[in-house]
Amino acid sequence: MSTVRLRAVVNGEQRESAVDPRLLLVHWLRDELGLTGTHVGCDTSNCGACTCLLDGAAVKSCTVLAVQAEGAELETIEGMGTDADLHPLQAAFREEHGLQCGYCTPGMIMAAEGLLRRNPSPTEEEVKSGLEGNLCRCTGYHNIVKSVITASKHGGRAGSRETEGAQA
Amino acid sequence: MEAGTSPESTETTNGAPDGWVGQAIKRKEDPRFITGTGRYIDDMTIPGMLHMAVVRSPEAHAAIVSIDKSEAEAMEGVVAVYTADDLPVEGGIPMVWDPPGVEVNTPEHMPLKSGEVKCVGDPVAVVLGTSKYGVVDAAELVIVEYEPKPVVVDPEAALEEGSPLVWDQFGTNKTHEWALAGGEDVGAAISGADVVVEQRIVNHRTAAAAIECRGCMAEARGDQITLFSSTQIPHITRFLMAGMLGMSEDHIRVVAPDVGGGFGGKLNTYAEEVLVCAISRKLGRPVKWIETRSENMSNTAHGRDQIATITLAAKSDGQVTGVRAKIVSDLGAYFQILTPFIAELGFPVAGGCYKIGGIDLHFTGVFTNKFATDAVRGAGRPEMTHWIEVMMDQLAQRLDMDPLELRRKNFIPTDEFPFTTALDITYDSGDYHGTLDKLLTHLDVDEFRREQAELRERGIHRGLGFSTYVEVCGLAPSRAVGPQGVGLQAAFWESAAVRVHPSGSATVYSGSSPHGQGLDTSFAQIAADRLGISPEQVDVLHGDTNQGPFGWGTYGSRSLSVGGEAIARASERVQAKAKKICAALLEAAPEDIELAGGEFRVRGQPDKTMTMADIAGAAHIPPNELPADIEPGLEETAFYDPENFVFPFGAHACIVDVDTETGKVEVKRWVAVDDCGPAINPMLIDGQVHGGVAHGIGQALYEQVVYDEEGQLVTGSFVDYALPTAAEVPMFETDRQETRSPVNSLGVKGVGEAGTIAATPAVVNAVVDALRPLGIDYLDMPLTPMRIWQAIEEAKGRGEGPRATEQGSDAGPHGRGAAGSGPTHPDGGGVA
């Protein structure tokens, strides 16, 4: 099997691998880099559990080849915040009970991050249509929508949390 | 009720002003999930682990002529390819319902099929190898020759003389019949009724569709096997696995890691779990299998798939005098653990929240060439609720009566609880007028009707539908549902062990196996109040057969009312011992010790106090003042078998707009008032209701598992099986009423399935309300654009609508069969 060299910045760190050209981005993140917060839910880019940011835009990593990320900057849930320093979206999901089983949650947060970077102050309807590509079976979406609205009011955009404060 | 467990005698205060129970505290589970550090089955690996891929049948019914695995075996990285002949197991997947006096035709359900396949997706071989991608490639190289046999997919056709047989050995596709009647004679009620309404109601096949698919990993070492599995029932799985593997239970450990949603789909023991264990034992290497979504659609149990013919008898004033239900259940080709019992499981709430003189139920199970149906969120109760709530609207329409007035007239009166139904089931507590009254404080029906009339003038079809449901949950009193009850070869008590550590923090071991509900948090609240500590000091462990006592798992909205009660009881036993220790050290009588404000103190002597940390320290390093008859340590276990089910209830209202040009339904508003007893954590209750209602909206409008006439699964992925998205569900308006259950000391009832149970009839009643002026008086789910458009066109054809045309369809609103699978494919997926 011939491999292809892949270099990308993942959560701020330069990473490099020799990968099978058909390797999916989600499997590179999960199986090679150990970033298991990005989940697989449907294999067909319907559910969005695998959503991460590629050069700042939300993509479904189950239908992106790893080699397509060559030279790119990738952001996953692990790069968003830590227990001690939660990203405003993470804090808001907890505050508003925007998760139950947690399986869709990383993809939801990354899709929401992509949305807030495009539209920092979305309306309820804009959040709903913005998250249309992410499925949740537990929450009925109500509290997810509230979480994103709350985060948007508390510095939802990455990098602004120091000034706005992380707690909803 | 045991001494010391009545609400009056339980002291439940500590640092929180009025106790932790009732507080909307944030979830203990969240930190790992929001940071991507949860540990789901696919996040786990073991050195030396092999991946397993399953070779599945593309045929719905066929003889296996030959299997050639040589090419796959030769592939680099492939370690083994096994068929049924290579991998003997002791037994197949068991089915645990053995109703007294009724024969259930029960076929063998081996994890790998030999001889014949009976449905698409049937596993015929497995490939083991070192690469995740490699085993999938190799599975493609396993050549299986099939000789197709006749297929039957329609359960009613399957019952007809001359139908192809799924199992020749039984000479019929009928699996069993089960009948139950009680109260006044329903035949007499029908013949003597002023009005009789009858309707055939299809409750179509759906999928549980947890966002995490199933998965499992087994590691055999020496004579021990550890099975990690995304399951709702780790302890039951160990028990059943021991039988299938021919091993002793003490040699098997089952662990449910973080589970990404269940919804009933993981309330089962599946072929792949047996296979990874048997293969790991054979090869001496860890084996992992992760389900694809396509496999999840074809080989994780489906739900519903029942056709009910309902006859409702009433007096001219609206009093319902009797109801008869004849229910045909499509069970698929095999049985999972509860398959033939799912329709029957809803029987305690046949007749809903109404006082009905006579109830007559008749169930028929049918084999078809599809995968098994089994539990999906609600399991039998959504079906029962759907038909009674739809029929109440039908009756109201026939009598030209307000549907809420009709409901009120028939509600079981609040002062008649506990109420024993015609089927001799005792509803524990209820106040059905209360939840409906409260609903109407949020929704002005008169104003809605004015608005509806105005909108109709402008061509906008808006409808309002109600559902006043009662649910049976808290599975279950073992005497009622066990071997000598309805015949499940199981019991349904729950266990809890509460261990206080030397420093005063605690670990709670629960036999429940939560997977998203937030029970780590609500369980901690229950224990914290009784131990005089905070929920942050209580760790809740579950899902590991090597930790804590045997338990029956999480399903049937049982974990709080049964599992939570077990925790309350074990915690109270710890509290009683703590009081004895405290009394000895403070030189007081144990009965004079009270727990208040997080302190154990001598009544009337506020300066003489001890904290749980003080007491736990003394329990572990006993001072000499402690009498010798007090055992060291601070740990208690409780096993709780409820005396009755619990019966949550509520009133839901749904407002929809129907686009009559496209048939598309938009849910504009949802108002829900639920009563599941006193809230342990109201935030979690709202979350359960939101998710439950969304699940019901999904079934009512979009979701359907569709097999075509050849038994091919049309909805094999989320491209075709349409789950609702954020854009399709409204923001929910929820409120609560709290009516205590007398069954458990917490007074609680379940809420995990309530929304799903309530939702579907509210949607259907709303859509029919919107379309009634067009001549439509009933619609089967799912209410896809195609189905509604066809119904409108058919009504026009009947001349009942505003414009009659020649158009129409033979797959009308009453037609059997599928009609599309959702908004993404409004014109596809039908079998009519």
Side-chain angles (χ1 to χ4, degrees), chain B residues 54-56 64 83-95 106-119 121-126 167 169 243-246 269-275 278 281 299 333-336 371:
Chain B
V54 183
V55 179
R56 298 185 183 277
I64 300 170
T83 64
D85 294 340
D86 309 314
L87 203 70
V89 291
E90 297 287 319
I93 310 295
M95 188 283 285
T106 304
E108 191 176 61
H109 184 183
M110 298 305 279
L112 284 177
K113 303 301 183 254
S114 56
E116 273 193 18
V117 291
K118 305 286 190 188
C119 68
D122 247 350
V124 295
V126 287
W167 295 93
Q169 72 214 54
M244 288 183 275
L245 295 169
T269 293
Y270 285 97
E272 296 84 0
E273 292 172 301
V274 192
L275 290 170
R281 184 170 62 175
N299 284 74
Y334 303 97
F335 293 160
Q336 286 288 328
F371 195 67

Side-chain angles (χ1 to χ4, degrees), chain B residues 278-563:
Chain B
I279 294 165
S280 182
R281 184 170 62 175
K282 188 180 173 89
L283 293 176
R285 294 179 70 169
V287 175
K288 179 178 177 179
W289 171 78
I290 298 296
E291 189 180 54
T292 65
R293 180 56 64 183
S294 294
E295 290 179 303
N296 183 264
M297 296 308 298
S298 67
N299 284 74
T300 288
H302 299 139
R304 320 286 190 253
D305 212 350
Q306 297 164 26
I307 301 167
T309 303
I310 311 298
T311 310
L312 203 63
K315 293 183 180 172
S316 57
D317 66 359
Q319 189 198 334
V320 178
T321 52
V323 61
R324 172 178 289 157
K326 289 180 180 292
I327 296 164
V328 174
S329 303
D330 184 340
L331 304 180
Y334 303 97
F335 293 160
Q336 286 288 328
I337 65 175
L338 290 169
T339 296
F341 182 63
I342 293 299
E344 285 85 338
L345 179 60
F347 86 86
V349 287
C353 53
Y354 309 109
K355 189 173 180 175
I356 299 178
I359 299 173
D360 181 1
L361 307 176
H362 185 275
F363 299 89
T364 305
V366 187
F367 289 122
T368 59
N369 292 109
K370 306 175 190 168
F371 195 67
T373 47
D374 205 298
V376 168
R377 200 171 195 170
R381 292 102 83 211
E383 299 93 310
M384 288 284 166
T385 303
H386 187 79
W387 60 251
I388 191 69
E389 287 302 300
V390 166
M391 291 306 284
M392 290 305 277
D393 265 36
Q394 298 286 303
L395 177 61
Q397 182 64 20
R398 179 74 66 83
L399 293 168
D400 195 21
M401 199 170 167
D402 175 65
L404 294 184
E405 186 192 338
L406 178 72
R407 282 173 168 82
R408 287 189 190 282
K409 191 173 188 68
N410 287 283
F411 276 163
I412 297 164
T414 306
D415 59 7
E416 291 189 25
F417 288 94
F419 177 82
T420 301
T421 71
L423 294 177
D424 203 26
I425 295 292
T426 301
Y427 288 7
D428 58 343
S429 63
D431 177 6
Y432 305 148
H433 288 281
T435 43
L436 181 53
D437 287 347
K438 200 161 195 178
L439 180 79
L440 296 177
T441 65
H442 299 285
L443 179 78
D444 185 335
V445 177
D446 292 337
E447 175 56 29
F448 172 83
R449 293 296 173 204
R450 274 191 296 276
E451 179 190 58
Q452 181 184 41
E454 276 173 31
L455 290 170
R456 270 183 192 150
E457 294 292 311
R458 291 158 43 198
I460 296 170
H461 295 266
R462 182 163 292 182
L464 168 62
F466 291 94
S467 167
T468 51
Y469 75 97
V470 60
E471 174 197 354
V472 55
C473 68
L475 303 179
S478 300
R479 269 183 287 196
V481 297
Q484 293 159 279
V486 298
L488 293 174
Q489 304 302 299
F492 295 93
W493 44 263
E494 200 46 271
S495 66
V498 174
R499 176 181 300 167
V500 179
H501 306 299
S503 62
S505 67
T507 297
V508 170
Y509 299 89
S510 174
S512 302
S513 196
H515 41 278
Q517 295 86 347
L519 289 158
D520 289 10
T521 307
S522 46
F523 284 173
Q525 288 174 270
I526 292 168
D529 275 356
R530 287 159 180 77
L531 300 176
I533 57 180
S534 81
E536 290 86 70
Q537 294 172 280
V538 182
D539 194 24
V540 178
L541 295 182
H542 49 76
D544 184 342
T545 58
N546 276 19
Q547 287 183 335
F550 186 94
W552 292 91
T554 288
Y555 46 86
S557 300
R558 67 187 300 273
S559 294
L560 184 60
S561 67
V562 188

Side-chain angles (χ1 to χ4, degrees), chain A residues 1 20 22-25 27 30-31 35-44 46-47 49 77-78 80-83 86 89-91 93-106 109 124-125 127-129 131-143 145-146, chain B residues 26-38 40 42-43 131-134 137 207-213 259-261 263 291-294 377 515-517 683-684 686-688 690-692 694-695 698 703 717-719 721 723-733:
Chain A
M1 181 180 70
D20 183 349
R22 66 174 177 168
L23 183 73
L24 297 171
L25 179 57
H27 292 141
R30 289 178 53 81
D31 300 339
L35 298 170
T36 54
T38 303
H39 299 146
V40 177
C42 71
D43 316 308
T44 50
N46 289 84
C47 82
I77 187 69
E78 290 89 348
M80 290 291 276
T82 61
D83 282 348
L86 292 175
L89 271 165
Q90 293 171 313
F93 268 69
R94 179 156 203 228
E95 182 63 28
E96 301 288 359
H97 187 30
L99 67 152
Q100 291 182 26
C101 80
Y103 198 78
C104 77
T105 309
I109 289 177
E124 215 169 77
E125 284 310 306
V127 172
K128 286 175 156 211
S129 60
L131 295 181
E132 210 174 5
N134 290 66
L135 297 174
C136 172
R137 191 56 143 173
C138 294
T139 65
Y141 303 104
H142 178 105
N143 287 344
V145 175
K146 280 175 68 181
Chain B
K26 303 306 170 204
R27 298 200 325 164
K28 293 170 73 69
E29 295 89 335
D30 288 349
R32 66 183 188 273
F33 294 142
I34 55 178
T35 53
T37 51
Y40 302 91
D42 197 20
D43 303 336
S131 149
K132 181 153 94 180
Y133 286 27
D137 291 339
I211 304 301
E212 182 202 35
C213 292
V259 173
F263 312 106
E291 189 180 54
T292 65
R293 180 56 64 183
S294 294
R377 200 171 195 170
H515 41 278
Q517 295 86 347
M683 177 187 82
L684 300 180
D686 280 344
Q688 291 298 307
H690 297 159
H695 199 140
E703 298 176 36
S717 76
F718 280 169
V719 176
Y721 187 85
L723 295 181
T725 76
E728 276 111 28
V729 296
M731 297 302 277
F732 300 105
E733 299 163 56

